[in-house]
Amino acid sequence: MDIIDIIKPENLVYKKPDLLNDNDMHYCPGCSHGVVHKLVAEVIDEMGLTDKAVGISPVGCAVFIYNYIDIDWQEAAHGRAPALASAIKRLWPSRLVFTYQGDGDLACIGTAETIHALNRGENITIIFINNAIYGMTGGQMAPTTLMGMATATCPTGRQVELHGYPLKMTEIAAQLEGTAYVTRQSVHTVGAIRKAKRAIKKAFENSMNGAGSNLVEIVSTCSAGWKMTPVEANKWMVENMFPYYPLGDLKDKSKELNK
Ligand SMILES: Cc1ncc(C[n+]2csc(CCOP(=O)(O)OP(=O)(O)O)c2C)c(N)n1
């Protein structure tokens, strides 16, 4: 097929989701945020929830997510997104309410809000972008920073005596009675992107069906913060992040019920 034929509308097999607008994204090359934004937009589109979706945006690189996906958004103070999402969902149960948060936001400043919202079984979805550092503010150490990993605030690498161990929020979430679906995904390959999309869809369905709380962690790259090229960052993530943060479902109450 000629290139001209490929770009003919009748030959189009894949397109940008309608909800993702044409604003230029501000993310660095190789950042995972843009891919996850696309998945969120696609799932909302496909589920026909455009008029019902309310996203809670974080403080961090993804603060501007509301500039890219054309649904209703509410901006939360750092770490408070799950509390705000709980309030909105309780006041407006017919809405799809989800948060979109980085690890600095979710696993440090908002640890309490995250755990309590999940434990209460709020019918929300938390999308957790874990890039193991505070990206927006210059790459400082986060609770999720790996042992030995160098950041702006631990240039010689994270040490257990000084900084403790990397926090596995998703494993904690899986232990909480209120969670319906807890999963860890990534978006580094086409296959991984497809799985991450299915995970987001399942979480959104649970949120709409009143099944309980849902946490979708996406193990992510921050090539600028990690000071790597996009290709190096993907490789580093696979080799270093995945052994500590293994991918897959940690809890799926719907399957437990069917056993
Ligand atoms: C209460 C509060 N503390 C600190 C900050 C500064 N701050 C803004 S963004 C950010 C880092 C966010 O990192 P993360 O949540 O991991 O998201 P990323 O930028 O990596 O996507 C920090 C510390 C703030 N805005 N409010």
Side-chain angles (χ1 to χ4, degrees), residues 27 31 33 58-63 77-80 100-109 128-140 142-144 221-222:
Y27 298 113
C31 172
H33 276 307
V59 181
C61 284
V63 59
H78 212 307
R80 313 299 178 242
Y100 185 104
Q101 301 171 260
D103 46 317
D105 185 325
L106 179 147
C108 188
I109 302 160
F128 166 30
I129 307 298
N130 179 8
N131 58 18
I133 53 167
Y134 284 42
M136 184 192 228
T137 41
Q140 294 88 349
T144 45
T221 51
C222 178

Side-chain angles (χ1 to χ4, degrees), residues 18 47 53-54 59 78 103 120-121 126 129 133 139 146 152 160 166 168 177 201 223 236 243 258:
D18 291 338
M47 289 176 75
V54 182
V59 181
H78 212 307
D103 46 317
R120 288 193 304 269
I126 295 179
I129 307 298
I133 53 167
L146 296 176
V160 74
K168 295 184 172 185
E177 292 296 336
K201 189 165 186 204
S223 32
W236 191 88
N258 294 335

